[in-house]
Amino acid sequence: MLVLTRKAEESITIGNNITVSVLEIRGNHVRLGIKAPKDIPVNRTEVFESIIMENIRASETPMDLENLSESLKTNDGK
Amino acid sequence: MNKIITTRFGELEIDETKSIHFRDGLLGFPDKKNFIILDHKPGSPFLWLQSIDAPDLAFVMTNPFLTKSDYLKDISPEEEAFLKNENDDEVIIFSLVTIPRGEVEKATVNLMGPIVIESKSRNAKQVILANSGYSHRHPITFG
């Protein structure tokens, strides 16, 4: 991992068009500003990882869907 | 037409013109890029997303609007942009279903990370809607 030291109001540039700025440092909180093209998703890592974990859980689905199917038919759509 | 032997469905003929392609793979499965969609059975709200690259990898998908009829109605323009491609082609949206083993009644749908498939190109991606308030474990409600 590349490690860089930055002060508040300084930034780094990733590739040609992604800029991460340190906006504010307060205690152990750092506010970051991220400028990236619209098609580049930017997410908190824990959110990204929660989707990965959920995909892994979803891939462990048992064979039998019959019960679930039947139950969903009575779903009132809420 | 190629054949694969899957764990769940036995031998399947793969119609390449109907397969879908995740350019970046599914999240957590970056090298699994090619899938086919199989019907669960007539009238079922579920479909299978079967990997062509890994015979033992399959997901259950459903139409998220069946569980949440106002799904995606209030998302931000930024997040809405992730659901489209540059040509604004028609897309189909699915959600993966998680069914804990032996606990069917605890099944959930991932509304935070929908699967978006472009109808024409059959390119697909998984999008994270982190600011929408949708859960990655939204309960499938029972009447």
Side-chain angles (χ1 to χ4, degrees), chain B residues 42-142:
Chain B
S44 168
F46 299 110
L47 303 131
W48 287 96
L49 182 65
Q50 167 69 49
S51 168
I52 297 173
D53 309 310
D56 60 343
L57 182 65
F59 298 86
V60 178
M61 300 194 299
T62 192
N63 174 349
F65 299 97
L66 290 179
T67 289
K68 191 163 175 53
S69 54
D70 62 350
Y71 185 51
L72 305 181
K73 245 178 206 159
D74 295 322
I75 62 170
S76 67
E78 290 77 20
E79 293 199 320
E80 196 174 3
F82 284 126
L83 304 174
K84 296 176 175 174
N85 72 356
E86 61 271 27
N87 302 322
D88 207 7
D89 291 329
E90 186 194 55
V91 297
I92 307 172
I93 294 170
F94 292 107
S95 289
L96 298 185
V97 179
T98 302
I99 307 169
R101 196 167 292 275
E103 295 184 297
V104 165
E105 70 282 1
K106 290 187 181 159
T108 57
V109 279
N110 186 345
L111 297 184
M112 197 201 279
I115 305 292
V116 181
I117 302 171
E118 294 169 17
S119 311
K120 205 160 72 179
S121 66
R122 310 197 70 78
N123 286 324
K125 60 184 172 181
Q126 186 171 24
V127 172
I128 300 179
L129 305 174
N131 303 315
S132 56
Y134 295 124
S135 170
H136 63 304
R137 291 185 187 167
H138 182 90
I140 296 183
T141 45
F142 297 86

Side-chain angles (χ1 to χ4, degrees), chain B residues 9-29:
Chain B
F9 311 107
E11 186 174 289
L12 290 178
E13 292 203 345
I14 305 300
D15 182 347
E16 306 283 353
T17 64
K18 289 187 176 166
S19 66
I20 63 167
H21 180 75
F22 288 78
R23 194 188 65 185
D24 302 317
L26 264 183
L27 295 178
F29 301 87

Side-chain angles (χ1 to χ4, degrees), chain A residues 6-49:
Chain A
R6 302 274 64 197
K7 295 174 187 157
E9 296 179 27
E10 292 182 339
S11 62
I12 61 165
T13 302
I14 301 169
N16 293 334
N17 45 23
I18 300 174
T19 305
V20 181
S21 309
V22 180
L23 301 179
E24 187 186 0
I25 303 167
R26 194 188 294 165
N28 60 355
H29 289 251
V30 179
R31 278 167 64 82
L32 300 175
I34 298 123
K35 218 193 271 179
K38 277 203 175 92
D39 59 332
I40 302 276
V42 177
N43 286 292
R44 291 174 173 85
T45 303
E46 62 270 27
V47 170
F48 185 73
E49 285 175 347

